[in-house]
Amino acid sequence: MKYLSFLYVVIIMALLILGTAIVNIDVKERSSTPNRKVVTSHVTSALTSHDTTSVTSPSVKIYAITSTYKRPEQKSELTRLSHMIKLIPNFHWVVIEDSKGKTPLVSNFLKKSGLNVTHLCKKNAKRIGHGPKDLLTRNFALNWVRNHLAKKEKGIVYFMDDDNTYDLRLFEEMRTTEIAAAWPVGLVGKVLYEGPVVCRGGRVQKWRTGWKVEKRTFKLDMAGFCVHTDLLLQKPDVKFKDVSTLEDFFLVDLGLTPKTIEGKHCDEILVWHTRTEVTDISHEKYAIARYNVTLIEV
């Protein structure tokens, strides 16, 4: 009995010694990483806090002008574009319809989008030959931006067609524009890409195109440039002209030269002139005649 009591005491003492050793090891590990508690605290705070000040919030607003017109694919194009815009901070979408009045389809769509958007309308003149199809709508929207800028507001104006494909990095890149900037556009002008392809020191050194090579100072597409609002306000009368190379004339009229325009991402394509295929709805009249149901807005 005495032997069992002695053994019991030995076991208790051994457990106490082992427990003390474990505590000492843990203390040493904690003392070797003194900022451990602080780091954990910051991580927890970032995950649980609703404060968005740490998230990048660019101060330069982008005014993106989209000229759109009635067609079967219109709503699907605007839907795709609007979901991309939701990912871009400090962004003002100026949507202008090629029509005499605002259509219910576009009006309802924009109201439901939840975006910072301005809805305009202007009927374009009949297109002649290879002239621009949306001359009046672009100029009308451009004047709207000039007339509605807040006092001393700095912004970037970009002409964003609804049938193009955009990399989000393009919009962050254009915010750094000081005067006007250009970049290459993919799948345009019957070539794989067009625009500036060699840039040094933030300036364009070489252009690439397959169309009117010698007749254009700026060999780029409408999706391949942006302009700072300061320059647009300094040149209040400059607008797009009724010519096939309207982008080139517009930039020249703004007083820009190949040496003054900024080159961005000359070695990478961030926007593509994809163009949605025209939908064949020639059988629609038969479907309407056969099924007497209320049509769904497409």
Side-chain angles (χ1 to χ4, degrees):
M1 191 72 178
K2 289 182 178 180
Y3 176 76
L4 290 176
S5 298
F6 175 77
L7 183 61
Y8 177 78
V9 171
V10 170
I11 292 172
I12 294 297
M13 291 179 67
L15 290 173
L16 289 172
I17 293 171
L18 180 62
T20 303
I22 292 173
V23 170
N24 288 335
I25 292 172
D26 182 62
V27 169
K28 287 181 179 179
E29 287 182 349
R30 288 175 181 268
S31 63
S32 65
T33 55
N35 295 327
R36 187 174 181 180
K37 273 190 174 181
V38 177
V39 172
T40 305
S41 176
H42 282 313
V43 172
T44 305
S45 177
L47 291 174
T48 58
S49 174
H50 294 286
D51 182 12
T52 58
T53 54
S54 60
V55 180
T56 301
S57 181
S59 59
V60 179
K61 181 180 289 186
I62 295 175
Y63 287 88
I65 295 173
T66 298
S67 181
T68 185
Y69 63 98
K70 184 179 180 180
R71 61 196 189 281
E73 304 83 15
Q74 184 180 32
K75 187 178 180 180
S76 63
E77 300 277 34
L78 293 175
T79 298
R80 175 173 49 79
L81 197 56
S82 68
H83 282 274
M84 179 203 70
I85 293 173
K86 289 179 180 181
L87 302 174
I88 308 173
N90 206 4
F91 193 94
H92 192 127
W93 193 17
V94 182
V95 179
I96 181 162
E97 292 191 72
D98 180 5
S99 63
K100 294 180 179 179
K102 299 176 183 178
T103 64
L105 185 149
V106 177
S107 296
N108 293 333
F109 172 81
L110 294 178
K111 287 178 182 178
K112 294 177 182 178
S113 70
L115 296 170
N116 181 17
V117 60
T118 294
H119 185 193
L120 307 171
C121 65
K122 179 72 175 178
K123 184 64 179 174
N124 279 308
K126 186 177 180 180
R127 187 180 184 185
I128 301 175
H130 295 287
K133 63 180 180 180
D134 46 12
L135 178 69
L136 299 183
T137 49
R138 289 191 195 280
N139 284 334
F140 190 86
L142 187 60
N143 284 333
W144 183 92
V145 173
R146 280 186 171 119
N147 295 329
H148 288 80
L149 282 171
K151 188 177 181 180
K152 296 184 180 180
E153 181 182 6
K154 304 295 182 181
I156 302 297
V157 174
Y158 180 55
F159 299 93
M160 185 174 66
D161 288 351
D162 58 6
D163 58 352
N164 287 349
T165 302
Y166 304 89
D167 187 312
L168 289 173
R169 291 176 295 164
L170 175 67
F171 301 98
E172 294 312 304
E173 188 70 25
M174 71 173 68
R175 289 186 205 275
T176 63
T177 300
E178 296 179 0
I179 301 175
W183 48 81
V185 177
L187 310 178
V188 66
K190 297 183 179 180
V191 292
L192 284 175
Y193 57 95
E194 177 185 74
V197 290
V198 177
C199 295
R200 294 190 185 94
R203 291 293 181 266
V204 180
Q205 302 295 318
K206 188 176 181 180
W207 302 81
R208 182 183 195 272
T209 187
W211 181 66
K212 295 192 175 183
V213 179
E214 304 300 330
K215 294 184 178 181
R216 291 193 291 167
T217 303
F218 300 99
K219 302 165 182 62
L220 43 66
D221 180 70
M222 186 67 72
F225 71 93
C226 70
V227 180
H228 199 285
T229 53
D230 283 352
L231 181 58
L232 291 174
L233 293 177
Q234 290 170 17
K235 305 279 187 175
D237 297 325
V238 173
K239 59 182 180 180
F240 289 105
K241 294 180 178 178
D242 192 4
V243 293
S244 59
T245 56
L246 72 166
E247 302 95 339
D248 183 48
F249 272 79
F250 179 69
L251 294 175
V252 170
D253 288 345
L254 284 173
L256 295 165
T257 69
K259 291 184 178 181
T260 56
I261 197 166
E262 302 154 48
K264 297 184 181 296
H265 269 279
C266 294
D267 58 349
E268 187 177 9
I269 305 298
L270 297 181
V271 54
W272 296 261
H273 210 323
T274 40
R275 301 183 184 182
T276 302
E277 180 182 359
V278 177
T279 307
D280 182 2
I281 57 170
S282 57
H283 291 176
E284 179 63 20
K285 58 184 177 181
Y286 302 113
I288 293 175
R290 184 178 180 85
Y291 305 102
N292 187 21
V293 295
T294 303
L295 292 178
I296 300 172
E297 182 184 84
V298 179

